[in-house]
């Protein structure tokens, strides 16, 4: 951490626990039998990329999902299935962020979408009484509001440029290797967080400062 003044965190799998299989199971239970195949196809057809970069709306996404679900399924049911992957914010991770913020500038950079943003802030409100994840950061960046997503270099560069950060003084933490490689390409220091390790394992010495 020598020379590091800023830390940029990913969200899912780093701060927020997630389980993609739960969303797959939820869609299957609604009658979308081939969701795992659709998920792959939609990535190929840019549906999820467009959702995560704000090029389509939540309503557009739900309309597409209705094409693959039984007629009686509602928007609310599809939304709940899409959000099923979002689990919880472990208290110790939130406390660690508060401790780190005393020593570093903290930023959040998440590939997400409007549906999930509302959902995980609601989880935080219901479980911790905190209305927004932005509370823990100098600024939170969400791909659907930025128009860019990781690992595109524009996403990292936007965080650096808007806050006057120097890449050589900035650490990026993510659980996905492509995102780590994208961060390295713009000169960021990186930590590839791999299960079962958590940010508590990595930053515990600093949190005691």
């Amino acid at each position: 951490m020598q020379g590091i003044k800023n830390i940029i965190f990913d969200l899912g799998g780093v701060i927020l626990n997630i389980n993609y299989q739960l969303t797959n199971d939820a869609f299957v239970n609604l009658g979308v039998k081939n969701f795992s195949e659709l998920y792959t196809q939609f990535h190929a057809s840019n549906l999820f990329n467009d959702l995560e970069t704000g090029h389509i709306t939540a309503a557009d996404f739900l309309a597409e999902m209705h094409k693959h679900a039984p007629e009686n399924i509602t928007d609310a049911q599809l939304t709940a299935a899409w959000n099923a992957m979002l689990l919880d914010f472990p208290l110790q991770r939130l406390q660690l962020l508060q401790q780190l913020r005393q020593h570093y500038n903290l930023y959040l950079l998440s590939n997400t979408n409007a549906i999930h943003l509302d959902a995980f802030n609601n989880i935080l409100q219901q479980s911790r009484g905190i209305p927004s994840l932005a509370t823990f950061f100098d600024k939170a960046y969400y791909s659907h509001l930025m128009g860019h997503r990781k690992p595109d270099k524009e996403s990292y560069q936007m965080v650096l440029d808007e806050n006057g950060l120097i890449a050589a003084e900035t650490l990026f933490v993510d659980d996905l290797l492509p995102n780590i490689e994208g961060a390295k390409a713009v000169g960021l220091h990186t930590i590839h967080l791999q299960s079962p390790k958590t940010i508590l394992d990595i930053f515990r010495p600093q949190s005691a400062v």
Side-chain angles (χ1 to χ4, degrees):
M1 296 297 292
Q2 187 173 0
I4 296 298
K5 298 180 180 179
N6 322 293
I7 307 174
I8 304 172
F9 283 98
D10 173 41
L11 177 57
V14 174
I15 298 169
L16 171 67
N17 282 328
I18 56 174
N19 185 337
Y20 292 105
Q21 186 62 41
L22 294 179
T23 280
N24 180 82
D25 294 347
F27 276 114
V28 169
N29 289 338
L30 290 180
V32 184
K33 298 301 183 185
N34 59 335
F35 179 75
S36 60
E37 296 176 16
L38 287 175
Y39 193 71
T40 301
Q41 291 173 10
F42 287 156
H43 271 296
S45 67
N46 284 328
L47 178 71
F48 290 104
N49 182 71
D50 287 345
L51 182 67
E52 288 192 341
T53 53
H55 291 118
I56 63 170
T57 66
D60 294 331
F61 172 73
L62 293 173
E64 182 63 36
M65 292 308 303
H66 272 295
K67 297 177 183 178
H68 305 279
E71 290 185 5
N72 63 322
I73 298 301
T74 66
D75 279 357
Q77 288 174 299
L78 291 174
T79 298
W82 181 231
N83 289 335
M85 69 177 73
L86 309 175
L87 300 181
D88 66 303
F89 291 97
L91 180 59
Q92 286 184 311
R93 295 182 196 172
L94 299 179
Q95 291 173 331
L96 176 62
L97 292 176
Q98 290 176 321
Q99 293 164 346
L100 288 172
R101 201 173 179 193
Q102 298 175 29
H103 307 281
Y104 305 97
N105 302 309
L106 297 191
Y107 301 90
L108 182 70
L109 179 58
S110 173
N111 285 351
T112 191
N113 57 84
I115 298 173
H116 281 172
L117 176 60
D118 288 343
F120 62 68
N121 276 332
N122 186 59
I123 291 171
L124 189 62
Q125 174 66 54
Q126 296 299 318
S127 63
R128 306 298 177 197
I130 300 169
S132 171
L133 199 58
T135 301
F136 297 93
F137 299 94
D138 292 81
K139 190 167 182 179
Y141 287 85
Y142 301 112
S143 60
H144 69 291
L145 300 177
M146 300 169 71
H148 300 287
R149 68 192 295 278
K150 301 172 292 185
D152 298 339
K153 66 179 182 180
E154 291 86 356
S155 61
Y156 310 97
Q157 202 63 52
M158 185 178 294
V159 179
L160 294 173
D161 292 347
E162 287 191 0
N163 299 283
L165 308 183
I166 299 172
E169 298 175 348
T170 305
L171 174 68
F172 174 72
V173 183
D174 200 295
D175 63 327
L176 297 180
L177 185 57
N179 296 343
I180 291 294
E181 296 300 332
K184 287 180 179 178
V186 299
L188 294 170
H189 295 277
T190 61
I191 290 178
H192 182 202
L193 187 66
Q194 296 176 279
S195 180
K197 284 190 175 182
T198 73
I199 56 173
L200 296 172
D201 297 304
I202 292 171
F203 292 107
R204 188 171 286 121
Q206 281 75 29
S207 67
V209 172

